[in-house]
Amino acid sequence: MSDEARPPRTAVVIPAAGRGVRLGPGAPKALRALNGTPMLVHAVRAMAASRAVRLVVVVAPADGVAEVKHLLDDHALPERTDYLVVAGGDTRQESVRLGLEAVPDDHDIVLVHDAARPLVPVDTVDAVIEAVRDGAVAVVPALPVADTVKEVEPAAEPGGPEQVVATPVRARLRAVQTPQGFDRATLVDAHATVALAGEGATDDAGMVEKLGAPVVVVPGHEEAFKVTRPLDLVLAEAVLARRRANDGF
Ligand code: C5P
């Protein structure tokens, strides 16, 4: 089939090569269990739940590639989905770039998803892919913010009073989630062009903005929250329990 004739192919890159990211004592964050299954496995399954996703590339710590491969081998994924595990780099940006390099050329759409958002519903994944298929080069799921947000001048001493410099209009603010979806060539261009400064980019869509390319937002989902604090683990297990009660998941 010619490139023109075949439907677009979608791959997902999951950067999970961070070190020392811990939710209190216990295993590294991506390997922390939620209802007995590692968070990373939930995240891979959440991506594989979309029928459009053909390949999931997990970026693991260089010395953890074999361990992550075993983990994925041990947990069933849909047969239609392939997965690869590659070694990451020193920053998230570097790890995403290495994951992107492992995506075969015949994939036109690439999603980047946080392992720390294990419960994103398939409808959100599909909405992101759909928006890229419809012509957007960069798509971010996001929610309106509930809190009023202040921009401050950070205090010299942690915990000290901070000068407020601005109060953005709340109705125009969005809290962004993942998976973020991209036209593959645009994301490759962003990673080749946008300089790595310090810790590098924590947000791939932000890199595309720096290229000057348009980024659009689609509705996110409250269950796509990032598991960051210990309380988030409680919330995540409650979401899983509710899903199990509702549909035997
Ligand atoms: O450290 P932080 O929470 O910003 O990491 C965000 C994501 O990027 C995590 O899933 C982490 O595993 C990943 N990461 C990575 N390679 C690094 C640093 C972070 O894949 N060198």
Side-chain angles (χ1 to χ4, degrees):
M1 210 187 278
S2 78
D3 269 9
E4 271 20 12
R6 66 167 174 74
R9 290 183 183 151
T10 300
V12 184
V13 173
I14 301 184
R19 296 192 167 282
V21 184
R22 286 166 191 269
L23 277 172
K29 184 155 111 177
L31 300 184
R32 280 294 285 265
L34 287 180
N35 278 8
T37 302
M39 194 143 51
L40 175 63
V41 172
H42 284 284
V44 172
R45 283 185 177 155
M47 298 298 106
S50 168
R51 303 192 72 80
V53 170
R54 297 170 50 106
L55 172 68
V56 178
V57 179
V58 174
V59 189
D63 59 3
V65 171
E67 186 191 350
V68 170
K69 259 190 194 137
H70 285 137
L71 193 70
L72 296 180
D73 287 343
D74 285 349
H75 290 84
L77 292 173
E79 273 197 9
R80 62 174 181 269
T81 317
D82 288 330
Y83 60 91
L84 282 175
V85 183
V86 300
D90 290 339
T91 63
R92 180 188 182 282
Q93 182 176 340
E94 184 74 4
S95 293
V96 172
R97 188 181 61 73
L98 291 164
L100 202 47
E101 280 176 5
V103 174
D105 286 345
D106 61 353
H107 290 69
D108 323 81
I109 297 174
V110 176
L111 270 47
V112 181
H113 182 60
D114 290 336
R117 296 181 192 272
L119 303 182
V120 55
V122 67
D123 288 354
T124 307
V125 182
D126 283 338
V128 168
I129 295 170
E130 183 83 17
V132 182
R133 283 185 171 176
D134 284 350
V137 296
V139 179
V140 182
L143 292 176
V145 295
D147 295 326
T148 294
V149 175
K150 302 278 183 196
E151 184 182 346
V152 300
E153 192 56 49
E157 297 290 317
E162 297 178 316
Q163 183 70 44
V164 171
V165 296
T167 304
V169 178
R170 188 172 65 185
R172 293 177 62 98
L173 296 178
R174 301 289 179 266
V176 307
Q177 303 177 325
T178 71
Q180 300 188 348
F182 303 92
D183 161 62
R184 173 213 177 92
T186 304
L187 187 59
V188 168
D189 193 14
H191 273 269
T193 316
V194 176
L196 268 164
E199 293 292 294
T202 56
D203 172 51
D204 297 276
M207 295 174 65
V208 172
E209 282 168 57
K210 286 198 178 124
L211 276 186
V215 175
V216 298
V217 162
V218 296
H221 196 285
E222 60 180 7
E223 291 179 6
F225 66 95
K226 191 172 187 180
V227 177
T228 312
R229 300 152 301 171
L231 194 58
D232 298 324
L233 285 172
V234 178
L235 183 60
E237 295 205 327
V239 170
L240 285 172
R242 191 183 61 190
R243 285 185 188 174
R244 242 203 326 263
N246 286 347
D247 58 23
F249 174 75

